[in-house]
């Protein structure tokens, strides 16, 4: 436009939609944020998407509900509220989570479920899942942080197509496991098996499925999808605090988008202690995924991006998730 090129995520402010004090407001914002302000005499785009096309999304100020009280982790809920209200000046409405099973949600554009320290399923039940599903289908945006994503990904809830993985099994472990017992027709027992030594016995009785080893807390590298609307203005490489044992199978392209993924096995660890099997299993798995459902979106962070309110780069990703998703949704 007028001989200059602007990247995705650039914000266009129309004079016709604002008051006479627009210049003063923009000058103050530039001083506060360091943003680059450029004026135009024309909106005619000479190369790239037109500002009047569907590539230019009109932003609106979303009404945000933040789930509060048990089973949310009070630290996660508090840090999320701190990031939104204190860092960005965005108001939220905290609502006790058990009310989400019955309270109409049409008065909100975005619902955020913080990282949890208890069972979302026990607190919300089928009624809560049904209420949130209706909210999204009607054009709402549902955002989950950390372990809250596990509830959305539960096959019985199925609000997003992610699925939590069990720990990977080595070839030696798989070889040593007991075969599935099969009773022969007319027999009361199952096929016999010989254990040549104690090692074979220990392998055979090992757990057939288990969670990945838990991380106490490490800084891991993530890579962003360059051309996705959720990553506009976000650095190509992110550093994320990761704790716990949640690892998710990526979404397939026909279901949704893996917007931020962990780096490869040799680059994923930035700092801290990460077990080798976890490092290998986490590689290329999603840290942020989004799925369109009906007229709305489900945005799932498999990490807690607002952890202690300390990661400014991840704060911007959370704001994108709120504002860009709400702008693209089509509320009834």
């Amino acid at each position: 436009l007028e001989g200059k090129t602007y990247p995705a995520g650039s914000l266009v402010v129309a004079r016709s939609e604002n008051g006479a004090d627009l210049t003063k407001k923009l000058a103050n914002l530039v001083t506060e944020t360091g943003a680059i302000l450029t004026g135009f005499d024309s909106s005619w785009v000479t190369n790239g998407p037109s500002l009047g096309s569907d590539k230019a999304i009109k932003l609106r100020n979303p009404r945000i509900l933040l789930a509060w009280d048990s089973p949310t982790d009070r630290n996660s809920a508090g840090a999320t509220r701190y990031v939104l209200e204190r860092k960005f000046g965005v108001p939220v409405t905290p609502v006790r989570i058990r009310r989400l099973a019955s309270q109409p949600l049409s008065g909100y554009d975005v619902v955020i479920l913080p990282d949890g320290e208890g069972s979302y399923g026990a607190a919300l039940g089928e009624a809560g899942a049904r209420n949130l599903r209706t909210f999204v289908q009607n054009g709402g945006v549902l955002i989950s942080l950390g372990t809250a994503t596990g509830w959305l990904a539960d096959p019985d809830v199925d609000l997003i197509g992610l699925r939590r993985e069990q720990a990977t099994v080595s070839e030696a472990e798989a070889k040593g496991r007991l075969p599935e017992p099969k009773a022969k027709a007319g027999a009361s027992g199952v096929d016999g098996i010989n254990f040549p030594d104690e090692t074979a016995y220990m392998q055979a009785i090992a757990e057939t499925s288990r969670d990945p080893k838990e991380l106490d807390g490490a800084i891991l590298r993530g890579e962003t999808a360059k051309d996705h609307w959720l990553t506009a203005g976000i650095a190509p490489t992110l550093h994320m605090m990761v704790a716990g044992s949640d690892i998710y199978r990526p979404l397939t392209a026909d279901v949704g988008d893996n917007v931020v993924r962990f780096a490869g096995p040799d680059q994923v660890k930035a700092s801290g202690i990460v077990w080798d099997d976890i490092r290998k299993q986490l590689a290329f798995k999603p840290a942020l995924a989004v799925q369109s459902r009906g007229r709305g979106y489900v945005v799932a962070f498999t990490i807690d991006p607002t952890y202690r309110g300390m990661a400014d780069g991840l704060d911007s990703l959370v704001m994108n998730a709120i504002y860009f998703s709400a702008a693209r949704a089509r509320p009834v």
Side-chain angles (χ1 to χ4, degrees):
L1 198 158
E2 295 186 356
K4 295 183 179 181
T5 301
Y6 299 88
S10 299
L11 184 66
V12 180
V13 182
R15 279 195 175 277
S16 60
E17 298 177 0
N18 287 278
D21 60 345
L22 175 63
T23 301
K24 182 179 179 181
K25 284 184 176 180
L26 290 175
N28 290 337
L29 286 171
V30 167
T31 301
E32 292 174 11
T33 66
I36 299 170
L37 180 63
T38 304
F40 298 111
D41 294 327
S42 168
S43 61
W44 179 255
V45 174
T46 52
N47 187 35
S50 167
L51 299 183
S53 73
D54 60 1
K55 301 292 185 183
I57 305 299
K58 189 169 184 177
L59 296 179
R60 53 198 175 92
N61 217 20
R63 299 159 297 177
I64 303 169
L65 183 155
L66 177 65
W68 202 257
D69 209 353
S70 180
T72 68
D73 183 320
R74 69 190 70 183
N75 294 314
S76 176
T80 302
R81 191 174 183 185
Y82 163 75
V83 167
L84 297 181
E85 293 194 334
R86 302 300 294 272
K87 280 191 172 184
F88 290 94
V90 176
V92 302
T93 302
V95 173
R96 294 185 188 277
I97 198 164
R98 294 184 185 277
R99 294 180 61 189
L100 300 186
S102 57
Q103 176 175 319
L105 300 175
S106 57
Y108 301 95
D109 302 295
V110 177
V111 171
I112 301 176
L113 303 181
D115 197 5
E117 58 182 4
S119 171
Y120 270 95
L124 290 170
E126 292 183 13
R130 186 165 53 250
N131 201 26
L132 288 169
R133 188 176 293 109
T134 299
F135 167 72
V136 176
Q137 294 281 358
N138 288 341
V141 175
L142 178 60
I143 300 176
S144 62
L145 311 181
T147 57
T149 295
W151 180 67
L152 301 189
D154 186 306
D156 292 335
V157 178
D158 197 29
L159 273 160
I160 193 166
L162 293 172
R163 291 296 181 265
R164 191 171 178 272
E165 292 186 352
Q166 297 290 326
T168 52
V169 179
S170 69
E171 190 175 330
E173 286 178 311
K175 188 176 181 180
R177 283 181 173 174
L178 282 170
E180 193 71 26
K182 296 179 181 178
K184 293 183 177 180
S188 59
V190 297
D191 290 340
I193 188 170
N194 295 329
F195 296 123
D197 51 41
E198 186 179 4
T199 300
Y201 163 72
M202 295 303 294
Q203 285 181 332
I205 66 170
E207 295 172 298
T208 56
S209 65
R210 62 180 186 273
D211 288 343
K213 291 178 185 174
E214 190 156 321
L215 290 178
D216 290 330
I219 304 295
L220 304 186
R221 288 189 181 89
E223 299 172 346
T224 61
K226 292 187 296 184
D227 298 326
H228 200 277
W229 45 272
L230 275 178
T231 61
I234 305 297
T237 299
L238 298 174
H239 293 83
M240 306 172 289
M241 170 63 76
V242 179
S245 59
D246 288 353
I247 301 175
Y248 291 86
R249 189 74 53 90
L251 294 177
T252 56
D254 59 317
V255 173
D257 301 315
N258 305 293
V259 180
V260 179
R261 69 182 189 187
F262 290 104
D266 296 329
Q267 294 83 36
V268 65
K269 186 181 87 166
S271 179
I273 297 175
V274 181
W275 316 114
D276 276 350
D277 50 351
I278 299 303
R279 175 177 58 81
K280 294 173 182 176
Q281 190 175 350
L282 265 174
F284 304 114
K285 299 296 170 60
L288 171 60
V290 61
Q291 181 174 339
S292 171
R293 296 192 69 102
R295 303 172 71 90
Y297 289 93
V298 177
V299 183
F301 288 87
T302 67
I303 61 165
D304 185 356
T306 63
Y307 181 80
R308 295 187 179 178
M310 67 181 189
D312 293 343
L314 300 185
D315 292 344
S316 298
L317 195 60
V318 172
M319 298 302 287
N320 278 9
I322 293 171
Y323 276 85
F324 292 172
S325 301
R328 286 177 171 268
R330 297 171 293 114
V332 172

